[in-house]
Amino acid sequence: MSTWKKIDVENWTRREHFEYYTKILKVQYNMTANIKVEKLLDYCHQNGKKFYASLIYLVSKTVNSIDNFKMFQDKEGNLCIWEHVVPNYTIFHDDDKTFSDCWTDYDEDFETFYQNITSDMEKYKDVKGIKARKNQPENFYCVSAAPWTTFTSFNSRIVGGGLQFFPVITMGKYERAGEHVLLPVNLNVIHAVCDGYHAGLFFETLQQEIDALG
């Protein structure tokens, strides 16, 4: 499990925002943007890499570069930031059309992470039920794909589950649009820790990471 550090909320620039959106108006919001992935597709084809696994790495690297996506409250209610978070992703079972959750520890090195996640995907691909891999660590975020639909909006969040600060990221079906191949990516967050600026930073950084790898 990752280590963490406490936030000095009293002197935090977002203190009033945090208190307002946790005590008065418990708002969650989501935003969908099209990400250009033609360079990543070319990279995967040329290097024999799986698109989904590579994309999870890039999303994870992006999430881990932004502190607001790594926040949580400890048992005493202190607001904290994980040193890093790991992806909790879905594996689809084509035979019965169900899915299972899996997780892989994050490594900033692409090749190390790629080998780990593809190994986990292979190991747990036939394990049915909600949790294919047990003992999911607390420092996680959620990422999944719905590759059957090119959507323009998507919303997924725990109903009545309280304030869970981890982001939920969903990727749709990519399609060609002129010279680009566009992938819809939805980001779902809690306003207490993430503003529109952080959502915009996520999409901007993700595009930069995709272009750099691709």
Side-chain angles (χ1 to χ4, degrees), residues 93-213:
H93 306 297
D94 194 57
D95 56 349
D96 62 4
K97 313 305 180 191
T98 64
F99 72 91
S100 299
D101 280 351
C102 192
W103 61 272
T104 296
D105 201 5
Y106 174 69
D107 195 292
E108 190 172 356
D109 179 70
F110 171 71
E111 289 296 338
T112 300
F113 179 84
Y114 183 84
Q115 292 302 319
N116 289 340
I117 193 171
T118 52
S119 176
D120 287 338
M121 286 178 169
E122 178 65 25
K123 180 178 181 179
Y124 297 103
K125 67 179 182 180
D126 296 321
V127 179
K128 302 296 180 65
I130 291 294
K131 298 294 181 182
R133 184 179 183 183
K134 307 299 182 183
N135 302 315
Q136 176 181 299
E138 294 181 44
N139 57 315
F140 73 93
Y141 80 96
C142 292
V143 58
S144 62
W148 309 277
T149 305
T150 301
F151 54 75
T152 56
S153 181
F154 192 98
N155 192 3
S156 176
R157 178 58 69 176
I158 300 171
V159 177
L163 290 175
Q164 303 291 334
F165 294 151
F166 59 84
V168 177
I169 298 162
T170 308
M171 303 169 292
K173 178 182 179 180
Y174 58 75
E175 64 178 0
R176 181 162 291 279
E179 63 180 1
H180 297 298
V181 178
L182 302 180
L183 174 79
V185 177
N186 178 267
L187 172 69
N188 195 310
V189 291
I190 294 293
H191 210 344
V193 295
C194 293
D195 301 324
Y197 166 79
H198 305 104
L201 181 61
F202 168 80
F203 290 114
E204 179 183 8
T205 306
L206 178 59
Q207 186 68 70
Q208 292 172 350
E209 293 293 346
I210 287 175
D211 291 343
L213 182 65

Side-chain angles (χ1 to χ4, degrees), residues 59-70:
V59 171
S60 298
K61 187 176 181 182
T62 299
V63 168
N64 276 293
S65 72
I66 303 171
D67 282 348
N68 299 72
F69 295 135
K70 299 184 292 182

